[in-house]
Amino acid sequence: MKVLLVAINSKFIHSNLALRYLKAYCGKEHSIDLMEFSINDNIERMIREIYLARPDVVAFSCYIWNIRQVLMVADTLKRIMDSCAIVLGGPEVSFDAGDIMRDNLAVDYIVVGEGEETFRELLQILEDNGDLAQVKGLVYRHGREIVVNPARPLIRDLDLIPFPYQDGFAGLENKIVYYETSRGCPFNCQYCLSSTIPGVRYFSLERVEKELELFVKAGIPQVKLVDRTFNCNPARAKRIFKTLISLGGQTNFHFEMAGDLIDEEMLDILKQAPPGLFEFEIGVQSTNPNTIHEIQRKMDFDALARTVERLRRGENIHLHLDLIAGLPEEDYASFKRSFNDVYFLRPNMLQLGFLKLLKGSGLRLRAAQYGYEYTQYPPYKVLKNNYMAYDEIAKLEMIEDLVEKYYNSGRFKYTLDYLIGCHHNNPFEFFEGFMEFWKARGYEGFSYSPIRLYEILLEYGLTMDNADHRLLKNIMRFDWVSYEKPSRYPEGLEPPQMPGLGKAVDSFFKNRENILKFMPYLEGYTPRQISRMAHIEAFEYDVVEGAKSGFYPHSITYVLFDYNVENKIFRRSNFYKVSL
C-alpha cells in the first residue's frame, strides 16, 4: 500500500512538521512519501502531481490557511481516483469532523487530535481489512453513517516518537525548519487552541540536545521552535539556551517566549549568545488589564517591559512583540494605548495581528457574549464586536500594513522617531495620520520599492506644518545612506552639491591614520577597495548627535558609513562623524 502525505503550506519557505512526524512514526511499517506545496501553487498542478504518484492513501494536513485548497484537491482526486482513500488531519478538522465528513463526500477518514498513533493504526487496518471501530481518535464512514470513535489519549512519552528529520534535510534548502521540544501550554488563553489541551509534555532533554546539534552541524539557516511557551519551564529553557550557545554554528533559533518569565539568571545566560543566534517572539496581545483578564491570559506587563528593555539593549537577540486587535474589552482607544505601550519598547518587529475565532477556542464558543461577527470561512477573522466597529478594524488593517512597510523594515528608524515626535510623541497617531494620507493619495493596494517608500513618506512629512522640512530631508537621507551604500537617492533627498567634496573624500580614504582609527580591519586594502565598502556623506545637521540624543544641531557634518557590519540584524552600518 502506497501512502502519500501532502502539505499545502502558507508560504514556499515554510515546511510541515506534523507530516514529518507521521512519516517517521509510521514509515518503518509502510511505504510513505511526502509532497509539499504552497497555497500559491496552481491547484491543477497539485492534483496532477498527486495523481501521477499513484497513491493508495492520500493524507492532508489541514489548517485555516489551506483547508479550502485541501477540500478542492480532495474532491477532484476522488473523481479521478475513486479507490484512493482520502484522509484529513490537523486542527482545522479536529473540532467538527462529523460535519466536514457530511459536507465533503470525498473525505473517507479524519484523524482527530494528536495523529501519530491514530494514523499508524488506520494504515494497519486498511492493509489488513481490520475493524475501524477499534481506532480511537478516528472519524470514518460506515455505509451512509458517519462514525465518531472515542477520543484518543495523548501520547505521554514523547520520546516514543522518532526524530522527524531522521531521513535528513533534503528538500528543505532555503526553507524554515520546524521543531518542538514540548507539546501543550500551561496557560489558558481563550483565543488559542492550546488551551483545549491540558498540561505540557516534554521530549527528554538528552534527546533534544542531540537533535539541536544535528541542526547546527547541518548548517540549517533557521529552526523555528513551535513550543507554545518555550520558557514555561525556566530551568529547562536555560539548559537548552546554554547548549545552543556552546554549539556555535550559524543556525538561527526562533522561540515563542513569555517575557515576564525571563529572570535574572536567564538574562545572564542570554547575554552570552552571539548576535543572530536567538530570535524571540513575545506575545503581549494587549496591555488593557480588563482584556487580559477576559481572555484568561497571565501577564505582568511591567515585568515584561523591563525584560524587553534589557534584551533590547544587548543587541544580540532579535525581538518580535505581538498585538492582537479585536479582543474583548479592547475598544479603539484602548488598542491605541496598547499599541503605544508596545511601540515604546522598541522591538525589532511589532507584529499587529487580528483576532481569529478558531474552532474549539473559548472566544469562539462565547462569541455571542461579546457580540462577535466573523467570517464564516477560514481564517474566521473578526469583523466587529461589542467594543470595536468594522470601520475601526478596517483602519487598523491599513495601519498594520504601514507598520510592516515602515517600522518592521528597519529602514526608517530615525525618520520615524522624528516624525512621531512631531505627532506629540504618539506613535499610533502618527501611523493613523499617515494611513489617512496614504488612503487619500490612492497608494493603498500596491507594492512599492524601498526608494518609492521614502518618497511617499517624504510627501507626508512635507504636509506637516510643525516639522522642519529641511531637517526632515537630512534625517531621511541619513536613514537611506546608513542602510546601504547609495547608488541613487529618493527624489527630494539628493545630497547638496559641495565643491571639492569628492577630492576630500578620496584624501580621507588614502590617509592610513583614518583607516586605522575607524576601520582598522581594512588596513592593507587600496583606497578604491575601501571606498566600495564605506561611504562619506555630507549633512547640514549633526545627524550623529541626533541619532544619539534626538537633538540635531544645525552644522555641516561629514559622516563615515562603514557597511561591513558582521551582523546586520541589529545594525545597518557603523557610522562616525569625521573631519575632511
Side-chain angles (χ1 to χ4, degrees):
M1 184 172 71
K2 187 173 183 181
V3 181
L4 182 63
L5 305 175
V6 178
I8 304 179
N9 302 316
S10 60
K11 293 182 180 179
F12 170 78
I13 62 169
H14 295 171
S15 60
N16 188 289
L17 177 62
L19 294 185
R20 285 177 168 81
Y21 272 127
L22 293 184
K23 187 174 188 296
Y25 199 76
C26 309
K28 289 184 179 179
E29 302 164 8
H30 305 279
S31 173
I32 298 178
D33 290 320
L34 176 64
M35 193 175 286
E36 292 192 85
F37 304 97
S38 86
I39 58 174
N40 297 313
D41 282 329
N42 181 276
I43 290 280
E44 284 70 29
R45 172 178 166 254
M46 297 184 205
I47 294 164
R48 184 169 60 251
E49 292 201 15
I50 295 170
Y51 175 82
L52 292 175
R54 299 291 195 273
D56 301 297
V57 178
V58 178
F60 293 91
S61 185
C62 303
Y63 303 88
I64 54 175
W65 60 78
N66 72 2
I67 186 63
R68 284 191 281 185
Q69 286 95 330
V70 165
L71 292 175
M72 290 167 64
V73 171
D75 180 78
T76 306
L77 287 175
K78 184 61 76 171
R79 295 174 188 276
I80 56 178
M81 305 170 66
D82 59 349
S83 63
C84 179
I86 305 291
V87 185
L88 306 186
E92 184 54 23
V93 297
S94 286
F95 291 94
D96 57 353
D99 293 338
I100 290 173
M101 294 279 283
R102 275 185 283 273
D103 294 339
N104 298 274
L105 298 179
V107 179
D108 299 300
Y109 308 97
I110 292 181
V111 172
V112 174
E114 198 167 52
E116 286 88 357
E117 290 185 329
T118 303
F119 190 64
R120 183 166 68 179
E121 289 183 17
L122 171 62
L123 293 183
Q124 197 61 52
I125 283 175
L126 291 178
E127 278 201 336
D128 300 341
N129 198 26
D131 184 5
L132 292 167
Q134 302 303 310
V135 184
K136 292 180 179 179
L138 183 68
V139 179
Y140 64 98
R141 299 183 190 279
H142 182 70
R144 295 187 176 182
E145 180 186 2
I146 293 172
V147 181
V148 179
N149 286 350
R152 178 176 294 277
L154 299 173
I155 299 172
R156 301 317 308 175
D157 182 3
L158 294 182
D159 282 351
L160 294 173
I161 306 171
F163 181 52
Y165 303 100
Q166 58 185 4
D167 294 335
F169 303 103
L172 290 168
E173 297 81 6
N174 304 313
K175 293 197 175 190
I176 298 170
V177 172
Y178 293 89
Y179 181 68
E180 63 183 358
T181 73
S182 65
R183 289 184 179 180
C185 182
F187 303 117
N188 195 36
C189 304
Q190 292 298 287
Y191 54 82
C192 180
L193 289 184
S194 295
S195 65
T196 65
I197 303 172
V200 183
R201 295 162 292 146
Y202 298 97
F203 292 87
S204 67
L205 266 172
E206 294 73 21
R207 168 181 167 160
V208 166
E209 290 175 331
K210 288 178 182 177
E211 292 174 352
L212 291 173
E213 186 174 6
L214 293 175
F215 293 126
V216 174
K217 286 184 174 179
I220 302 299
Q222 184 176 50
V223 175
K224 195 164 187 175
L225 282 87
V226 296
D227 302 54
R228 299 313 300 161
T229 307
F230 176 76
N231 61 328
C232 64
N233 182 330
R236 179 183 168 91
K238 291 169 190 174
R239 177 168 160 179
I240 293 173
F241 287 144
K242 287 180 180 178
T243 297
L244 291 173
I245 292 169
S246 69
L247 288 174
Q250 299 299 314
T251 302
N252 167 263
F253 291 90
H254 178 108
F255 304 90
E256 293 189 27
M257 301 280 287
D260 51 345
L261 296 182
I262 300 175
D263 59 19
E264 284 293 327
E265 183 185 6
M266 191 175 291
L267 285 169
D268 287 339
I269 293 169
L270 294 172
K271 283 179 186 175
Q272 303 168 37
L277 176 62
F278 298 145
E279 188 172 276
F280 287 175
E281 184 173 345
I282 299 175
V284 181
Q285 319 314 8
S286 171
T287 63
N288 182 329
N290 295 331
T291 298
I292 296 300
H293 176 268
E294 202 66 24
I295 62 176
Q296 299 180 35
R297 181 173 177 78
K298 294 181 179 179
M299 181 186 68
D300 181 341
F301 180 71
D302 290 336
L304 182 150
R306 289 192 296 270
T307 296
V308 168
E309 171 62 21
R310 296 270 300 276
L311 291 171
R312 188 177 60 79
R313 286 204 309 265
E315 280 199 336
N316 67 329
I317 296 175
H318 204 264
L319 297 173
H320 302 200
L321 298 190
D322 298 347
L323 284 171
I324 297 178
L327 293 172
E329 300 290 340
E330 180 111 272
D331 60 14
Y332 192 78
S334 168
F335 187 83
K336 173 180 176 178
R337 290 190 293 273
S338 291
F339 181 94
N340 286 343
D341 289 340
V342 173
Y343 189 97
F344 282 125
L345 294 180
R346 307 288 185 181
N348 301 103
M349 291 191 70
L350 198 170
Q351 300 180 164
L352 200 172
F354 294 84
L355 180 65
K356 298 169 182 63
L357 291 188
L358 303 176
K359 293 178 181 179
S361 67
L363 288 185
R364 179 153 172 161
L365 295 174
R366 298 193 300 279
Q369 174 185 338
Y370 302 113
Y372 276 118
E373 291 290 348
Y374 58 96
T375 61
Q376 296 304 295
Y377 49 85
Y380 315 112
K381 191 174 77 70
V382 164
L383 301 170
K384 64 177 183 176
N385 59 19
N386 290 339
Y387 316 94
M388 203 177 287
Y390 175 71
D391 63 340
E392 292 171 324
I393 288 180
K395 278 186 181 181
L396 294 180
E397 288 175 339
M398 290 185 281
I399 289 172
E400 185 274 335
D401 182 52
L402 294 181
V403 170
E404 185 66 24
K405 283 181 168 70
Y406 285 91
Y407 182 84
N408 289 342
S409 73
R411 288 177 171 266
F412 303 85
K413 175 178 171 56
Y414 301 108
T415 304
L416 290 178
D417 287 347
Y418 177 72
L419 289 175
I420 287 169
C422 296
H423 277 81
H424 313 290
N425 213 30
N426 190 313
F428 188 88
E429 288 188 0
F430 161 75
F431 280 104
E432 188 177 43
F434 190 23
M435 176 271 295
E436 296 289 356
F437 171 87
W438 187 276
K439 182 181 177 183
R441 293 291 179 98
Y443 292 138
E444 188 184 5
F446 301 96
S447 60
Y448 298 97
S449 66
I451 199 167
R452 184 62 184 133
L453 289 174
Y454 272 87
E455 292 168 349
I456 294 173
L457 183 58
L458 178 60
E459 287 178 33
Y460 177 60
L462 295 179
T463 67
M464 296 168 54
D465 293 334
N466 60 336
D468 182 331
H469 296 169
R470 188 175 179 183
L471 172 59
L472 171 63
K473 290 181 179 181
N474 276 262
I475 297 172
M476 290 192 76
R477 185 157 52 87
F478 177 67
D479 265 328
W480 175 256
V481 175
S482 67
Y483 198 85
E484 60 186 338
K485 186 175 174 63
S487 57
R488 55 182 293 217
Y489 292 81
E491 187 176 343
L493 297 182
E494 298 83 1
Q497 296 298 314
M498 301 185 68
L501 178 60
K503 288 184 178 180
V505 170
D506 289 342
S507 296
F508 182 92
F509 286 135
K510 290 175 181 176
N511 188 318
R512 181 170 176 267
E513 289 184 5
N514 290 333
I515 304 307
L516 290 176
K517 180 178 179 180
F518 295 106
M519 300 175 292
Y521 65 91
L522 292 180
E523 186 185 15
Y525 285 79
T526 67
R528 177 171 291 184
Q529 289 172 323
I530 293 171
S531 69
R532 294 193 188 106
M533 294 179 275
H535 174 73
I536 293 178
E537 185 89 4
F539 296 92
E540 299 166 293
Y541 296 81
D542 188 341
V543 289
V544 173
E545 174 61 32
K548 182 169 59 176
S549 67
F551 173 66
Y552 292 84
H554 192 294
S555 66
I556 298 296
T557 304
Y558 303 101
V559 181
L560 167 66
F561 295 91
D562 174 10
Y563 299 103
N564 197 10
V565 175
E566 186 174 344
N567 194 313
K568 290 200 172 187
I569 294 174
F570 304 99
R571 189 171 298 142
R572 304 170 299 181
S573 63
N574 293 319
F575 50 84
Y576 313 93
K577 188 160 48 174
V578 298
S579 299
L580 295 182

